[in-house]
Amino acid sequence: MAEKTKKLKAPVKPKRSWAIPIVLSSLATVGASYYVYYLLNAPPDMPKVNLEAYWGQYPMNPKPDQSIRPFKVEFSEVMINELRNLLLHRRPFAPPLEDVGFSYGFNSNFLTRVLDYWQNKYNFADREKFLNKYNHYITNIQGLDIHYVHVRPDVTQDVEVVPLLLLHGWPGSFREFYELIPELAPKQEHNFALELIIPSLPGFGFSQGPARTGLGSLEMAVVMRNLMERIGHKKYYIQGGDFGHIIGSIMATVFPENVLGFHSNMPMVFFHPMATFYTLLGSIMPSLIVEPEIYDRIYPLSKQMSFLLEETGYSHLQATKPDTVGIALTDSPAGLAAYILEKYSTWTNPSNKRASDGNLLSNFLLTHLLDNVMVYWASNSITTSIRFYVEALGSRQMGYKLDRIPTKVPTWGIKFKYEMFTQPDIILKLKYQNYLHTTIVDGGGHFAAFESPKILAQDVLQAIIMFREFWGVSKENVQDLPQPEPDMATSVHEFTVRDIYGRTIKLDKYKGYVLLIVNVASQCGLTDKNYEQLNELYNKYSKSRDFRILAFPCNQFNSQEPGTSKDIIKFMNKRNIEFDVFQKIEVNGENAHPLWKFLKRVQSGTLGDFIKWNFSKFIVDKNGIPVERFGPNVDPIDLEPHLGKYW
């Protein structure tokens, strides 16, 4: 019998596994991505700093005068007569094109008006006196005579004096801080006072310019650090915008042991590769990158880039051929005024360029603007000031990569609506590791100290309070005063509270004012109408009738005030709240603030003394006595006739 043929099965090939290549590929991708991310974020080495670099004329004095000498701004008769003569005999200007406003530059028709005012109405003697109202000094730092304004506070010995270095930019000067100074004066609610040091940057105003190349942003930061040490300050705060921001940022980076806090009104990280990446990503996925309040200040990128290309031509000129333009501006007061003041128009609000007068006089007084021009004219410093662009934007300075070196110095920024450069906080935190807060202002532009001194000063003071808290200084470094017994008190003036910034406030500061005290919340159905009308009442009567509003956030009613003090501050800034807001408290129960226990005792409600809901309101007369009480259903604006009884 024939054998049956056995069919042999083909050997089974093992199935190929794709898992390992996929895993390896993923790991390689992750590794490569991390490596690229590391390259983009790895901080470079700190540049070597020469604290004794010499910038003056040779031969070097072996025993330089390092004293601090008094200085006076002087508008001499010779200089005034020469200036008036140049203004009088200026050549006729080409007339502007029809309906161009300032879009072609400074409108020559309006310039004629400015120059006539400068020649005939600008009071040189009065302005010289004004500029000398504060103490000025000169001292030699690294071979250069450095000028600064020094404002010391007049306070008692129990008040701590802390130094604040105020740094200007171009085309600014020390003059732009003069309206800011009184706003930073000691306040009753603070237990610290600011000592202000306001230098002219080297080559600007009455500070001597360098005799050779190389004095860039880093080197200027060294000069400012040495100036503060010469004055006697090893630790201090810094505020700056424009070049003041750049120099202040470098000081916080290179000298963190000296800088206690850095406040900027132009917070920027200019040269960081991740900043570019985040900016581009924000145009695609804005919710991941940019705060909604500032989205339209950055995007669309095409609009922003077009604006910057149009407005930064001066920078390229000054960074390449400063002496050429400097010669023209040194020889012509008309050219100097047009060149400088045009920036105060467009950089305050880009839409100003459509106006025939650049809307200059809508934001500034012509006398004040000409004060700043006079600083450049009287000191003959326009050329030395714009030379700084060559040094600051040159390859040597870029090579330091200072924007990629992080700093732990606490930092605070304020973003005005029409500032030329705006960045989201996610970019700022690449460099400023302790970036504490951003204040967003729905208005204002590049020259914050000049245009918005009250807003800027309030923000600087808030920042310094937070900086002090960051370093472990107790809030205002004072203990709460013992509160009176609510059952025994006779006036709200006997109580003490904390404001939203943590400052201790004695309510006797409101003696002589009619008060409206209200508990508020930011997420209540009554919020919009009440805040809008409270603002309206405050703006209408705070100056004309000695009226104040005291708002106390409270989270006891359906948890409609859940945020932190920082959240509440952000809410206030968004709504431009000007009346006084205090820290979150309880108004009912055992933990109710003693002030509110007193208010409820004196003015009990119809259904009991407890507070029923958000936006309950108490009117307090000028003697501090609660005289009327209104429920949440009463709109603030309807209180006008009731308030009128107590003016």
Side-chain angles (χ1 to χ4, degrees), residues 461-490:
L461 290 168
Q462 293 168 10
I464 291 177
I465 290 168
M466 293 296 186
F467 294 156
R468 286 163 62 81
E469 184 178 343
F470 177 89
W471 292 114
V473 180
S474 62
K475 296 177 181 179
E476 293 306 296
N477 200 27
V478 296
Q479 299 295 323
D480 283 337
L481 295 178
Q483 301 283 7
E485 288 293 333
D487 291 338
M488 304 295 293
T490 59

PDB file of all heavy atoms in Angstrom, residues 461-490:
ATOM      1  N   LEU A 461       3.837 102.567  44.169  1.00  0.00           N
ATOM      2  CA  LEU A 461       3.673 102.376  45.610  1.00  0.00           C
ATOM      3  C   LEU A 461       3.114 100.987  45.923  1.00  0.00           C
ATOM      4  O   LEU A 461       3.558 100.322  46.862  1.00  0.00           O
ATOM      5  CB  LEU A 461       2.765 103.464  46.180  1.00  0.00           C
ATOM      6  CG  LEU A 461       3.366 104.876  46.215  1.00  0.00           C
ATOM      7  CD1 LEU A 461       2.297 105.910  46.517  1.00  0.00           C
ATOM      8  CD2 LEU A 461       4.494 104.967  47.236  1.00  0.00           C
ATOM      9  N   GLN A 462       2.149 100.544  45.127  1.00  0.00           N
ATOM     10  CA  GLN A 462       1.613  99.196  45.319  1.00  0.00           C
ATOM     11  C   GLN A 462       2.702  98.154  45.125  1.00  0.00           C
ATOM     12  O   GLN A 462       2.805  97.174  45.884  1.00  0.00           O
ATOM     13  CB  GLN A 462       0.470  98.946  44.333  1.00  0.00           C
ATOM     14  CG  GLN A 462      -0.760  99.800  44.584  1.00  0.00           C
ATOM     15  CD  GLN A 462      -1.748  99.726  43.432  1.00  0.00           C
ATOM     16  OE1 GLN A 462      -1.610  98.898  42.531  1.00  0.00           O
ATOM     17  NE2 GLN A 462      -2.736 100.595  43.437  1.00  0.00           N
ATOM     18  N   ALA A 463       3.533  98.370  44.115  1.00  0.00           N
ATOM     19  CA  ALA A 463       4.603  97.419  43.830  1.00  0.00           C
ATOM     20  C   ALA A 463       5.594  97.345  44.986  1.00  0.00           C
ATOM     21  O   ALA A 463       6.005  96.249  45.396  1.00  0.00           O
ATOM     22  CB  ALA A 463       5.314  97.812  42.537  1.00  0.00           C
ATOM     23  N   ILE A 464       5.981  98.489  45.512  1.00  0.00           N
ATOM     24  CA  ILE A 464       6.971  98.501  46.587  1.00  0.00           C
ATOM     25  C   ILE A 464       6.415  97.817  47.838  1.00  0.00           C
ATOM     26  O   ILE A 464       7.130  97.106  48.549  1.00  0.00           O
ATOM     27  CB  ILE A 464       7.440  99.938  46.873  1.00  0.00           C
ATOM     28  CG1 ILE A 464       8.270 100.441  45.684  1.00  0.00           C
ATOM     29  CG2 ILE A 464       8.255 100.013  48.162  1.00  0.00           C
ATOM     30  CD1 ILE A 464       8.723 101.868  45.802  1.00  0.00           C
ATOM     31  N   ILE A 465       5.131  98.005  48.103  1.00  0.00           N
ATOM     32  CA  ILE A 465       4.508  97.298  49.230  1.00  0.00           C
ATOM     33  C   ILE A 465       4.631  95.789  49.027  1.00  0.00           C
ATOM     34  O   ILE A 465       4.995  95.046  49.949  1.00  0.00           O
ATOM     35  CB  ILE A 465       3.029  97.716  49.371  1.00  0.00           C
ATOM     36  CG1 ILE A 465       2.938  99.155  49.864  1.00  0.00           C
ATOM     37  CG2 ILE A 465       2.287  96.782  50.322  1.00  0.00           C
ATOM     38  CD1 ILE A 465       1.550  99.748  49.759  1.00  0.00           C
ATOM     39  N   MET A 466       4.356  95.324  47.809  1.00  0.00           N
ATOM     40  CA  MET A 466       4.462  93.891  47.516  1.00  0.00           C
ATOM     41  C   MET A 466       5.913  93.417  47.556  1.00  0.00           C
ATOM     42  O   MET A 466       6.204  92.305  48.003  1.00  0.00           O
ATOM     43  CB  MET A 466       3.843  93.589  46.151  1.00  0.00           C
ATOM     44  CG  MET A 466       2.346  93.789  46.095  1.00  0.00           C
ATOM     45  SD  MET A 466       1.465  92.640  47.185  1.00  0.00           S
ATOM     46  CE  MET A 466      -0.241  93.011  46.756  1.00  0.00           C
ATOM     47  N   PHE A 467       6.837  94.257  47.074  1.00  0.00           N
ATOM     48  CA  PHE A 467       8.251  93.880  47.139  1.00  0.00           C
ATOM     49  C   PHE A 467       8.693  93.692  48.596  1.00  0.00           C
ATOM     50  O   PHE A 467       9.413  92.752  48.931  1.00  0.00           O
ATOM     51  CB  PHE A 467       9.119  94.956  46.482  1.00  0.00           C
ATOM     52  CG  PHE A 467       8.921  95.107  44.998  1.00  0.00           C
ATOM     53  CD1 PHE A 467       9.227  96.304  44.358  1.00  0.00           C
ATOM     54  CD2 PHE A 467       8.428  94.068  44.224  1.00  0.00           C
ATOM     55  CE1 PHE A 467       9.062  96.455  42.995  1.00  0.00           C
ATOM     56  CE2 PHE A 467       8.242  94.215  42.851  1.00  0.00           C
ATOM     57  CZ  PHE A 467       8.564  95.411  42.241  1.00  0.00           C
ATOM     58  N   ARG A 468       8.252  94.603  49.458  1.00  0.00           N
ATOM     59  CA  ARG A 468       8.626  94.521  50.869  1.00  0.00           C
ATOM     60  C   ARG A 468       8.038  93.255  51.497  1.00  0.00           C
ATOM     61  O   ARG A 468       8.702  92.582  52.301  1.00  0.00           O
ATOM     62  CB  ARG A 468       8.144  95.775  51.598  1.00  0.00           C
ATOM     63  CG  ARG A 468       8.983  97.005  51.261  1.00  0.00           C
ATOM     64  CD  ARG A 468       8.283  98.299  51.627  1.00  0.00           C
ATOM     65  NE  ARG A 468       8.017  98.445  53.045  1.00  0.00           N
ATOM     66  CZ  ARG A 468       8.897  98.845  53.954  1.00  0.00           C
ATOM     67  NH1 ARG A 468      10.131  99.151  53.576  1.00  0.00           N
ATOM     68  NH2 ARG A 468       8.564  98.980  55.225  1.00  0.00           N
ATOM     69  N   GLU A 469       6.830  92.947  51.110  1.00  0.00           N
ATOM     70  CA  GLU A 469       6.221  91.714  51.626  1.00  0.00           C
ATOM     71  C   GLU A 469       6.979  90.490  51.097  1.00  0.00           C
ATOM     72  O   GLU A 469       7.170  89.505  51.816  1.00  0.00           O
ATOM     73  CB  GLU A 469       4.753  91.645  51.206  1.00  0.00           C
ATOM     74  CG  GLU A 469       4.004  90.455  51.782  1.00  0.00           C
ATOM     75  CD  GLU A 469       2.544  90.440  51.398  1.00  0.00           C
ATOM     76  OE1 GLU A 469       2.031  91.496  50.972  1.00  0.00           O
ATOM     77  OE2 GLU A 469       1.931  89.370  51.514  1.00  0.00           O
ATOM     78  N   PHE A 470       7.430  90.549  49.842  1.00  0.00           N
ATOM     79  CA  PHE A 470       8.199  89.457  49.242  1.00  0.00           C
ATOM     80  C   PHE A 470       9.461  89.157  50.050  1.00  0.00           C
ATOM     81  O   PHE A 470       9.837  87.999  50.229  1.00  0.00           O
ATOM     82  CB  PHE A 470       8.578  89.840  47.806  1.00  0.00           C
ATOM     83  CG  PHE A 470       9.430  88.821  47.086  1.00  0.00           C
ATOM     84  CD1 PHE A 470       8.843  87.797  46.357  1.00  0.00           C
ATOM     85  CD2 PHE A 470      10.812  88.888  47.140  1.00  0.00           C
ATOM     86  CE1 PHE A 470       9.622  86.859  45.701  1.00  0.00           C
ATOM     87  CE2 PHE A 470      11.601  87.953  46.483  1.00  0.00           C
ATOM     88  CZ  PHE A 470      11.005  86.934  45.751  1.00  0.00           C
ATOM     89  N   TRP A 471      10.092  90.216  50.546  1.00  0.00           N
ATOM     90  CA  TRP A 471      11.333  90.050  51.296  1.00  0.00           C
ATOM     91  C   TRP A 471      11.091  89.827  52.788  1.00  0.00           C
ATOM     92  O   TRP A 471      12.034  89.823  53.574  1.00  0.00           O
ATOM     93  CB  TRP A 471      12.238  91.257  51.092  1.00  0.00           C
ATOM     94  CG  TRP A 471      12.766  91.370  49.701  1.00  0.00           C
ATOM     95  CD1 TRP A 471      12.502  92.345  48.786  1.00  0.00           C
ATOM     96  CD2 TRP A 471      13.664  90.458  49.047  1.00  0.00           C
ATOM     97  NE1 TRP A 471      13.161  92.110  47.610  1.00  0.00           N
ATOM     98  CE2 TRP A 471      13.888  90.946  47.743  1.00  0.00           C
ATOM     99  CE3 TRP A 471      14.299  89.272  49.439  1.00  0.00           C
ATOM    100  CZ2 TRP A 471      14.717  90.293  46.831  1.00  0.00           C
ATOM    101  CZ3 TRP A 471      15.119  88.612  48.516  1.00  0.00           C
ATOM    102  CH2 TRP A 471      15.320  89.130  47.247  1.00  0.00           C
ATOM    103  N   GLY A 472       9.832  89.636  53.159  1.00  0.00           N
ATOM    104  CA  GLY A 472       9.561  89.284  54.545  1.00  0.00           C
ATOM    105  C   GLY A 472       9.285  90.465  55.443  1.00  0.00           C
ATOM    106  O   GLY A 472       9.103  90.289  56.651  1.00  0.00           O
ATOM    107  N   VAL A 473       9.239  91.680  54.875  1.00  0.00           N
ATOM    108  CA  VAL A 473       8.847  92.834  55.672  1.00  0.00           C
ATOM    109  C   VAL A 473       7.343  92.750  55.843  1.00  0.00           C
ATOM    110  O   VAL A 473       6.605  92.612  54.874  1.00  0.00           O
ATOM    111  CB  VAL A 473       9.225  94.156  54.973  1.00  0.00           C
ATOM    112  CG1 VAL A 473       8.797  95.349  55.820  1.00  0.00           C
ATOM    113  CG2 VAL A 473      10.717  94.199  54.700  1.00  0.00           C
ATOM    114  N   SER A 474       6.866  92.781  57.079  1.00  0.00           N
ATOM    115  CA  SER A 474       5.434  92.632  57.319  1.00  0.00           C
ATOM    116  C   SER A 474       4.691  93.743  56.619  1.00  0.00           C
ATOM    117  O   SER A 474       5.233  94.807  56.357  1.00  0.00           O
ATOM    118  CB  SER A 474       5.131  92.671  58.815  1.00  0.00           C
ATOM    119  OG  SER A 474       5.508  93.917  59.373  1.00  0.00           O
ATOM    120  N   LYS A 475       3.471  93.472  56.303  1.00  0.00           N
ATOM    121  CA  LYS A 475       2.669  94.452  55.582  1.00  0.00           C
ATOM    122  C   LYS A 475       2.696  95.782  56.322  1.00  0.00           C
ATOM    123  O   LYS A 475       2.151  95.921  57.404  1.00  0.00           O
ATOM    124  CB  LYS A 475       1.237  93.959  55.414  1.00  0.00           C
ATOM    125  CG  LYS A 475       1.140  92.686  54.555  1.00  0.00           C
ATOM    126  CD  LYS A 475      -0.281  92.198  54.477  1.00  0.00           C
ATOM    127  CE  LYS A 475      -0.368  90.917  53.649  1.00  0.00           C
ATOM    128  NZ  LYS A 475      -1.737  90.393  53.569  1.00  0.00           N
ATOM    129  N   GLU A 476       3.373  96.727  55.676  1.00  0.00           N
ATOM    130  CA  GLU A 476       3.555  98.054  56.255  1.00  0.00           C
ATOM    131  C   GLU A 476       4.340  98.019  57.552  1.00  0.00           C
ATOM    132  O   GLU A 476       4.545  99.025  58.183  1.00  0.00           O
ATOM    133  CB  GLU A 476       2.205  98.742  56.502  1.00  0.00           C
ATOM    134  CG  GLU A 476       1.485  99.061  55.220  1.00  0.00           C
ATOM    135  CD  GLU A 476       2.334  99.861  54.268  1.00  0.00           C
ATOM    136  OE1 GLU A 476       2.703 101.013  54.591  1.00  0.00           O
ATOM    137  OE2 GLU A 476       2.659  99.364  53.197  1.00  0.00           O
ATOM    138  N   ASN A 477       4.782  96.791  57.981  1.00  0.00           N
ATOM    139  CA  ASN A 477       5.659  96.665  59.151  1.00  0.00           C
ATOM    140  C   ASN A 477       5.071  97.302  60.408  1.00  0.00           C
ATOM    141  O   ASN A 477       5.753  97.898  61.214  1.00  0.00           O
ATOM    142  CB  ASN A 477       7.033  97.282  58.842  1.00  0.00           C
ATOM    143  CG  ASN A 477       8.099  96.771  59.777  1.00  0.00           C
ATOM    144  OD1 ASN A 477       7.995  95.673  60.306  1.00  0.00           O
ATOM    145  ND2 ASN A 477       9.125  97.566  59.979  1.00  0.00           N
ATOM    146  N   VAL A 478       3.764  97.212  60.530  1.00  0.00           N
ATOM    147  CA  VAL A 478       3.111  97.751  61.731  1.00  0.00           C
ATOM    148  C   VAL A 478       2.124  96.718  62.254  1.00  0.00           C
ATOM    149  O   VAL A 478       1.613  95.880  61.528  1.00  0.00           O
ATOM    150  CB  VAL A 478       2.355  99.072  61.434  1.00  0.00           C
ATOM    151  CG1 VAL A 478       3.324 100.143  61.008  1.00  0.00           C
ATOM    152  CG2 VAL A 478       1.289  98.891  60.384  1.00  0.00           C
ATOM    153  N   GLN A 479       1.859  96.786  63.540  1.00  0.00           N
ATOM    154  CA  GLN A 479       0.847  95.925  64.137  1.00  0.00           C
ATOM    155  C   GLN A 479      -0.506  96.625  64.056  1.00  0.00           C
ATOM    156  O   GLN A 479      -0.612  97.843  64.133  1.00  0.00           O
ATOM    157  CB  GLN A 479       1.192  95.657  65.606  1.00  0.00           C
ATOM    158  CG  GLN A 479       2.525  94.938  65.792  1.00  0.00           C
ATOM    159  CD  GLN A 479       2.506  93.551  65.202  1.00  0.00           C
ATOM    160  OE1 GLN A 479       1.486  92.864  65.264  1.00  0.00           O
ATOM    161  NE2 GLN A 479       3.616  93.147  64.615  1.00  0.00           N
ATOM    162  N   ASP A 480      -1.541  95.824  63.866  1.00  0.00           N
ATOM    163  CA  ASP A 480      -2.884  96.406  63.878  1.00  0.00           C
ATOM    164  C   ASP A 480      -3.137  97.042  65.236  1.00  0.00           C
ATOM    165  O   ASP A 480      -2.843  96.458  66.277  1.00  0.00           O
ATOM    166  CB  ASP A 480      -3.938  95.329  63.626  1.00  0.00           C
ATOM    167  CG  ASP A 480      -4.002  94.937  62.162  1.00  0.00           C
ATOM    168  OD1 ASP A 480      -3.601  95.746  61.320  1.00  0.00           O
ATOM    169  OD2 ASP A 480      -4.455  93.825  61.895  1.00  0.00           O
ATOM    170  N   LEU A 481      -3.674  98.231  65.206  1.00  0.00           N
ATOM    171  CA  LEU A 481      -4.024  98.885  66.461  1.00  0.00           C
ATOM    172  C   LEU A 481      -5.216  98.162  67.085  1.00  0.00           C
ATOM    173  O   LEU A 481      -6.062  97.610  66.373  1.00  0.00           O
ATOM    174  CB  LEU A 481      -4.373 100.343  66.197  1.00  0.00           C
ATOM    175  CG  LEU A 481      -3.219 101.225  65.681  1.00  0.00           C
ATOM    176  CD1 LEU A 481      -3.731 102.626  65.409  1.00  0.00           C
ATOM    177  CD2 LEU A 481      -2.088 101.262  66.697  1.00  0.00           C
ATOM    178  N   PRO A 482      -5.300  98.132  68.395  1.00  0.00           N
ATOM    179  CA  PRO A 482      -6.468  97.508  69.037  1.00  0.00           C
ATOM    180  C   PRO A 482      -7.761  98.178  68.555  1.00  0.00           C
ATOM    181  O   PRO A 482      -7.844  99.394  68.471  1.00  0.00           O
ATOM    182  CB  PRO A 482      -6.217  97.768  70.528  1.00  0.00           C
ATOM    183  CG  PRO A 482      -4.745  98.001  70.638  1.00  0.00           C
ATOM    184  CD  PRO A 482      -4.336  98.669  69.363  1.00  0.00           C
ATOM    185  N   GLN A 483      -8.742  97.344  68.213  1.00  0.00           N
ATOM    186  CA  GLN A 483     -10.019  97.875  67.756  1.00  0.00           C
ATOM    187  C   GLN A 483     -10.887  98.232  68.961  1.00  0.00           C
ATOM    188  O   GLN A 483     -10.824  97.554  70.001  1.00  0.00           O
ATOM    189  CB  GLN A 483     -10.741  96.836  66.900  1.00  0.00           C
ATOM    190  CG  GLN A 483      -9.975  96.374  65.671  1.00  0.00           C
ATOM    191  CD  GLN A 483     -10.000  97.385  64.541  1.00  0.00           C
ATOM    192  OE1 GLN A 483     -10.488  98.504  64.718  1.00  0.00           O
ATOM    193  NE2 GLN A 483      -9.459  97.009  63.408  1.00  0.00           N
ATOM    194  N   PRO A 484     -11.679  99.271  68.846  1.00  0.00           N
ATOM    195  CA  PRO A 484     -12.614  99.574  69.924  1.00  0.00           C
ATOM    196  C   PRO A 484     -13.718  98.515  69.987  1.00  0.00           C
ATOM    197  O   PRO A 484     -13.972  97.815  69.006  1.00  0.00           O
ATOM    198  CB  PRO A 484     -13.187 100.935  69.519  1.00  0.00           C
ATOM    199  CG  PRO A 484     -13.080 100.953  68.033  1.00  0.00           C
ATOM    200  CD  PRO A 484     -11.813 100.205  67.714  1.00  0.00           C
ATOM    201  N   GLU A 485     -14.350  98.392  71.116  1.00  0.00           N
ATOM    202  CA  GLU A 485     -15.501  97.505  71.231  1.00  0.00           C
ATOM    203  C   GLU A 485     -16.649  98.071  70.406  1.00  0.00           C
ATOM    204  O   GLU A 485     -17.018  99.238  70.583  1.00  0.00           O
ATOM    205  CB  GLU A 485     -15.932  97.368  72.685  1.00  0.00           C
ATOM    206  CG  GLU A 485     -14.979  96.544  73.542  1.00  0.00           C
ATOM    207  CD  GLU A 485     -14.962  95.088  73.119  1.00  0.00           C
ATOM    208  OE1 GLU A 485     -15.990  94.626  72.566  1.00  0.00           O
ATOM    209  OE2 GLU A 485     -13.925  94.423  73.315  1.00  0.00           O
ATOM    210  N   PRO A 486     -17.203  97.293  69.489  1.00  0.00           N
ATOM    211  CA  PRO A 486     -18.294  97.817  68.654  1.00  0.00           C
ATOM    212  C   PRO A 486     -19.456  98.382  69.463  1.00  0.00           C
ATOM    213  O   PRO A 486     -20.123  99.330  69.035  1.00  0.00           O
ATOM    214  CB  PRO A 486     -18.719  96.597  67.833  1.00  0.00           C
ATOM    215  CG  PRO A 486     -17.498  95.734  67.795  1.00  0.00           C
ATOM    216  CD  PRO A 486     -16.823  95.926  69.114  1.00  0.00           C
ATOM    217  N   ASP A 487     -19.697  97.815  70.653  1.00  0.00           N
ATOM    218  CA  ASP A 487     -20.808  98.286  71.478  1.00  0.00           C
ATOM    219  C   ASP A 487     -20.497  99.597  72.188  1.00  0.00           C
ATOM    220  O   ASP A 487     -21.413 100.279  72.677  1.00  0.00           O
ATOM    221  CB  ASP A 487     -21.180  97.233  72.517  1.00  0.00           C
ATOM    222  CG  ASP A 487     -21.811  96.003  71.876  1.00  0.00           C
ATOM    223  OD1 ASP A 487     -22.325  96.136  70.744  1.00  0.00           O
ATOM    224  OD2 ASP A 487     -21.765  94.930  72.490  1.00  0.00           O
ATOM    225  N   MET A 488     -19.216  99.939  72.255  1.00  0.00           N
ATOM    226  CA  MET A 488     -18.806 101.143  72.966  1.00  0.00           C
ATOM    227  C   MET A 488     -18.394 102.279  72.029  1.00  0.00           C
ATOM    228  O   MET A 488     -18.346 103.440  72.431  1.00  0.00           O
ATOM    229  CB  MET A 488     -17.622 100.817  73.899  1.00  0.00           C
ATOM    230  CG  MET A 488     -17.897  99.700  74.904  1.00  0.00           C
ATOM    231  SD  MET A 488     -19.177 100.188  76.089  1.00  0.00           S
ATOM    232  CE  MET A 488     -18.315 101.494  76.989  1.00  0.00           C
ATOM    233  N   ALA A 489     -18.066 101.950  70.784  1.00  0.00           N
ATOM    234  CA  ALA A 489     -17.570 102.962  69.848  1.00  0.00           C
ATOM    235  C   ALA A 489     -18.658 103.980  69.528  1.00  0.00           C
ATOM    236  O   ALA A 489     -19.863 103.682  69.592  1.00  0.00           O
ATOM    237  CB  ALA A 489     -17.083 102.296  68.570  1.00  0.00           C
ATOM    238  N   THR A 490     -18.234 105.177  69.186  1.00  0.00           N
ATOM    239  CA  THR A 490     -19.169 106.250  68.838  1.00  0.00           C
ATOM    240  C   THR A 490     -18.998 106.744  67.414  1.00  0.00           C
ATOM    241  O   THR A 490     -19.803 107.537  66.933  1.00  0.00           O
ATOM    242  CB  THR A 490     -18.998 107.445  69.789  1.00  0.00           C
ATOM    243  OG1 THR A 490     -17.652 107.927  69.704  1.00  0.00           O
ATOM    244  CG2 THR A 490     -19.292 107.033  71.233  1.00  0.00           C
TER     245      THR A 490
END
